Amino acid sequence: VTFTALTAAPQAGAEVELYMNAAHIFTDGAVFEVDGDANYTATIGDRVLMRAKSTTVFTVHPRKKDGTAVVGGLVLLQTTVASASASITMGSAALLSSTYKKYMIVGSNIKPATDNVDGNVRISIATAVKSDAFYDWTRVFMYSGSVTVSGVVGTVGTFFDKMFGQSCGNAAAESTSFVLYIDDPAATDSNKLIECTSVAVDLTPNTQQNRVGGRYTNSVAAVDGIQFYFSSGNITSGTFKLYGIS
């Protein structure tokens, strides 16, 4: 049996857990947001938690018979769509918790309002975005107009420089996308390690790729947010998704 819809929920936040007595397919799409953004085939004995985002849209969280999450599964925790946004902050103390040791943020089809801008990142601690000079990072990058691979480092920056794009263009066909990971953000015994790979179309327009890794060195406190912004102007559009990695 393939599930593509569910009876309307009484309210957002309502939950129901289904116990599988046969193989069933849950179709990822407008109605079901399945962990990992892919269809899931449940087997006998599996459990599937359905959580209502609205009365008609549900997140789908499969678990194996023994209660463990699907191996290698991604648990969608937050979706934010930019619309002429000065910045986007993903996460919170509740979302970036000790539930998972690693979290992933995916940015898709992100378009700047201004031409020739860089995609920068900061962290938040106790709901305060940190802008002091304690960002330590390394960056490797290249463009399709050249075979040269370049590198640069920063040890006293006030942000993670060009973490999700460099010289990004704002023409109709130009955008940037990225995948960012943060390790154990709720821990309080070490600096949080962050890595990000991005691919963008710059103003030339060439395809360009960046790989950035770094840490904020002035605190070992829990990180409760990751802020994304361009070096100038707004984020015109784009989708940001936060996942816990089980």
Side-chain angles (χ1 to χ4, degrees), residues 109-112 168-176 199-203 205-207:
N109 199 25
I110 301 165
K111 295 180 175 291
C168 300
N170 70 340
E174 298 170 351
S175 67
T176 180
V199 178
V201 181
D202 68 16
L203 74 163
N206 281 324
T207 301

Side-chain angles (χ1 to χ4, degrees), residues 142-144 165-168 198-202 206-210:
M142 70 181 303
Y143 294 84
S144 60
Q166 178 177 357
S167 305
C168 300
S198 67
V199 178
V201 181
D202 68 16
N206 281 324
T207 301
Q208 58 96 358
Q209 184 174 28
N210 277 274

